[in-house]
Amino acid sequence: MSKKDAILQAATRLFSEKGFKETSIAELSKATGAAEGTIFYHFKNKEDIFLCILEDTRNRVVEEFERYLEEEKFDTGLEMIEGACSFYFFLAGTMGDQFLLLHRRHPHELAEVNPVCREHLEAIYNSFVNGFERAILLGQKDGSIRKMSSKKIALIIFSMVDGLVRFKTYNLYDAGALHKEFMELCHSMLQKK
Amino acid sequence: MSKKDAILQAATRLFSEKGFKETSIAELSKATGAAEGTIFYHFKNKEDIFLCILEDTRNRVVEEFERYLEEEKFDTGLEMIEGACSFYFFLAGTMGDQFLLLHRRHPHELAEVNPVCREHLEAIYNSFVNGFERAILLGQKDGSIRKMSSKKIALIIFSMVDGLVRFKTYNLYDAGALHKEFMELCHSMLQKK
DNA sequence: TAAATTAGACTGAGCATTCAACCGGTTTTT
DNA sequence: AAAAACCGGTTGAATGCTCAGTCTAATTTA
């Protein structure tokens, strides 16, 4: 792995675990074995590191989620949305650091003043919300999902799965064990009566 | 209002809007008109300010939520849980700053090393989760709510409402307009078939 | 040989916290 | 009644530390 990649990887971990402001360049240097100068050789400043991480995250998240929806076969829209939720949980597990980072306030605050950051964030969220909505529209067509604004359902479902993931990272309760029940409740909430 | 209260109030706003680390004492001093020395006369350090805020928040949140469940009359457990969700949204609106603060990572990180902080946080979360669970148990007794581990339903419902509130604070989408639909979905998800 | 990397000294800014002094009102002493 | 001591609250300058970012001169790598 190139030094630049090593820096990005260590920064992802540190920023997500400790926070952007709370991570110093000295610390990052120590964690990677790279000299401080090297870090500034590859990145123009600390914020630039963060934006690179966000770009990587965006590319990977969007690509993996789209591919999942593309390649997987679903009999109904309802099954598709259940699959999408499960895949979200799965991604949150395999890309733990990145999701942790997205759940921090920092990216959202930066997005308010930095259009590049904003663009990445929106791409990520839109990818999920649009994927959910596609599933819902499909389900409403094939009769497996109730009639209600697809956009609104998509947003609510997204806030739910995301809420559960977040809950787990704060681990006040054992939220990881809720997966099965969540899927069941989700099912009966969407299903046409 | 005493100077001390003014400091607490301004700190609540600043910590929630900008973050703990990102708010300097100089800034807090400017915002309140109090000299920096005055702040340290009333509080032993910056963290102490934070803990005072958390204590206030805990007292108010817990008291208001318990009182609501106590005084309000509900015909069924299902109605009670719907009321509890609505009240959560209501509280998140009237106590905007405090909820914003609770949604930051800082209190949860501090809780890992500071037992006082941990105690406050747990009291707040337990108050909500237990309130939800009481409603669910009632609903399961009166037949308005499906059979499933009450604890798990309570956690899922809590992560849902909390997810929606957080979603709103990040305002990537107009999550405030989802209230009606959320309640409807919530209803059909819990209801006995 | 050109690009990448190192160690580390340095700058300048920002920051939490400290501290000696001060103020206005109340009580105590003379 | 005048003077002195007292006290909670307040002030803002001073202190010492951390940190992002710069710079250099030397070394390694490809």
Side-chain angles (χ1 to χ4, degrees):
Chain A
M1 183 167 39
S2 76
K3 208 106 210 182
K4 187 173 177 183
D5 286 342
I7 294 168
L8 277 176
Q9 189 179 311
T12 306
R13 218 198 62 242
L14 287 169
F15 287 169
S16 67
E17 273 176 15
K18 314 191 22 164
F20 178 78
K21 187 109 189 257
E22 289 76 7
T23 301
S24 70
I25 297 294
E27 216 169 347
L28 187 51
S29 151
K30 213 177 204 172
T32 52
E36 299 194 22
T38 309
I39 294 174
F40 287 102
Y41 173 78
H42 288 294
F43 304 94
K44 90 171 181 289
N45 52 33
K46 200 178 165 188
E47 189 172 300
D48 189 32
I49 305 176
F50 183 81
L51 290 174
C52 285
I53 293 174
L54 197 57
E55 192 181 347
D56 286 354
T57 303
R58 170 209 181 149
N59 291 336
R60 206 174 137 201
V61 161
V62 170
E63 202 235 313
E64 299 216 13
F65 187 62
E66 306 285 352
R67 192 176 53 214
Y68 171 79
L69 293 185
E70 201 62 40
E71 293 182 357
E72 202 75 11
K73 286 287 155 262
F74 306 101
D75 286 341
T76 64
L78 187 54
E79 271 178 35
M80 181 171 169
I81 198 134
E82 284 171 355
C85 288
S86 286
F87 192 73
Y88 191 87
F89 291 133
F90 166 75
L91 265 191
T94 54
M95 303 180 60
D97 284 348
Q98 281 98 330
F99 270 69
L100 221 57
L101 202 61
L102 290 174
H103 277 155
R104 287 207 166 258
R105 195 73 71 84
H106 180 258
H108 300 87
E109 277 161 359
L110 186 59
E112 280 170 26
V113 295
N114 184 319
V116 177
C117 177
R118 179 173 191 85
E119 221 249 307
H120 290 324
L121 267 193
E122 285 190 345
I124 293 171
Y125 286 117
N126 284 335
S127 162
F128 286 124
V129 173
N130 291 340
F132 285 151
E133 192 178 3
R134 257 151 56 211
I136 289 158
L137 285 168
L138 177 65
Q140 289 175 332
K141 199 173 284 177
D142 68 31
S144 60
I145 295 182
R146 55 150 67 200
K147 295 277 184 241
M148 183 189 274
S149 156
S150 60
K151 184 75 181 171
K152 288 186 176 180
I153 300 187
L155 287 172
I156 289 172
I157 296 273
F158 181 53
S159 82
M160 279 173 64
V161 288
D162 199 57
L164 210 59
V165 166
R166 215 177 105 83
F167 218 62
K168 192 174 168 188
T169 68
Y170 285 175
N171 65 56
L172 282 165
Y173 304 97
D174 183 16
L178 300 174
H179 185 246
K180 195 176 121 274
E181 282 79 8
F182 172 82
M183 295 309 301
E184 199 179 324
L185 291 174
C186 201
H187 185 96
S188 57
M189 149 177 152
L190 293 174
Q191 163 182 246
K192 209 167 190 170
K193 273 160 301 188
Chain B
M1 185 168 37
S2 76
K3 209 114 209 181
K4 186 175 178 181
D5 286 342
I7 293 168
L8 277 177
Q9 190 179 309
T12 306
R13 218 198 63 242
L14 287 169
F15 287 168
S16 66
E17 274 176 14
K18 313 193 20 164
F20 178 78
K21 187 103 189 264
E22 290 76 7
T23 300
S24 70
I25 297 295
E27 215 169 346
L28 187 51
S29 151
K30 213 174 202 174
T32 52
E36 300 193 21
T38 308
I39 296 173
F40 287 99
Y41 171 77
H42 289 293
F43 305 93
K44 90 173 181 288
N45 53 33
K46 201 179 165 188
E47 188 173 302
D48 188 33
I49 305 177
F50 183 81
L51 290 174
C52 285
I53 292 174
L54 196 58
E55 190 180 349
D56 285 355
T57 302
R58 170 209 180 147
N59 291 336
R60 209 176 132 200
V61 162
V62 171
E63 202 235 313
E64 300 216 11
F65 187 63
E66 305 285 351
R67 190 174 56 213
Y68 171 79
L69 293 185
E70 200 62 42
E71 292 182 358
E72 201 74 12
K73 286 285 156 262
F74 306 100
D75 285 342
T76 64
L78 188 54
E79 271 179 36
M80 181 171 170
I81 198 137
E82 285 171 354
C85 287
S86 286
F87 192 72
Y88 191 86
F89 291 133
F90 166 75
L91 265 193
T94 53
M95 302 179 61
D97 284 348
Q98 282 98 329
F99 270 69
L100 221 56
L101 202 61
L102 290 175
H103 277 154
R104 288 206 166 260
R105 196 73 71 84
H106 181 258
H108 300 87
E109 276 162 359
L110 186 59
E112 280 170 25
V113 296
N114 184 320
V116 177
C117 178
R118 178 170 193 89
E119 220 248 309
H120 289 323
L121 267 193
E122 285 190 345
I124 292 171
Y125 286 115
N126 284 336
S127 161
F128 286 124
V129 173
N130 292 340
F132 286 150
E133 192 177 1
R134 258 151 56 211
I136 290 158
L137 285 169
L138 178 65
Q140 288 175 333
K141 199 172 286 177
D142 67 31
S144 59
I145 295 182
R146 57 153 63 201
K147 296 277 185 239
M148 185 190 273
S149 154
S150 60
K151 183 75 182 174
K152 289 187 175 180
I153 300 187
L155 287 173
I156 289 173
I157 297 271
F158 180 54
S159 82
M160 279 173 63
V161 289
D162 199 57
L164 211 60
V165 166
R166 213 187 70 257
F167 218 63
K168 192 174 169 187
T169 68
Y170 283 176
N171 65 55
L172 282 164
Y173 304 97
D174 184 15
L178 300 174
H179 185 248
K180 196 175 121 275
E181 282 78 8
F182 172 82
M183 295 309 300
E184 201 180 323
L185 291 175
C186 200
H187 186 96
S188 56
M189 149 178 151
L190 293 175
Q191 169 181 240
K192 209 168 191 167
K193 273 161 298 188

